[in-house]
Amino acid sequence: MGKPIEIHVGVCSTFTVKLANTDFTGIKKFILTIKNKSDVSAPVIIEREFTEPKDYEVTIKPEESVKLTDGAIYDFNKVLKDDTRHAVRGSLGAVVLVKGAGGCLG
């Protein structure tokens, strides 16, 4: 299991995806996917792609965060040059939703 990702509901949340020391040989891109449940047919709520070896600051927008529900999960896949998608070992984890009094929607 990967480390939990904390997302604050209704405001921007930022975290770092560290790929600076990742060997991209044979890899076209990495994909971070967040869904409300671990079901292949569940809709993707948030998806980000990473195409080069560097560290990325990922910002989850307020309008994305409010679509997430308790029990949301993330996974991290790699897409090879032949376009096949593979799970990255240890990259499935929980999304922890932090609900506060503030908000910047609207």
Side-chain angles (χ1 to χ4, degrees), residues 3-7 15 32 34 60 74 93-97:
K3 291 182 180 181
I5 294 175
E6 187 175 279
I7 295 177
F15 55 89
L32 169 70
I34 300 176
I60 305 302
Y74 74 88
V95 174
V96 176
L97 299 178

Side-chain angles (χ1 to χ4, degrees), residues 47-60:
E47 187 169 88
R48 301 289 191 274
E49 295 186 0
F50 313 100
T51 58
E52 56 187 276
K54 67 178 190 176
D55 293 342
Y56 292 85
E57 289 296 313
V58 175
T59 299
I60 305 302

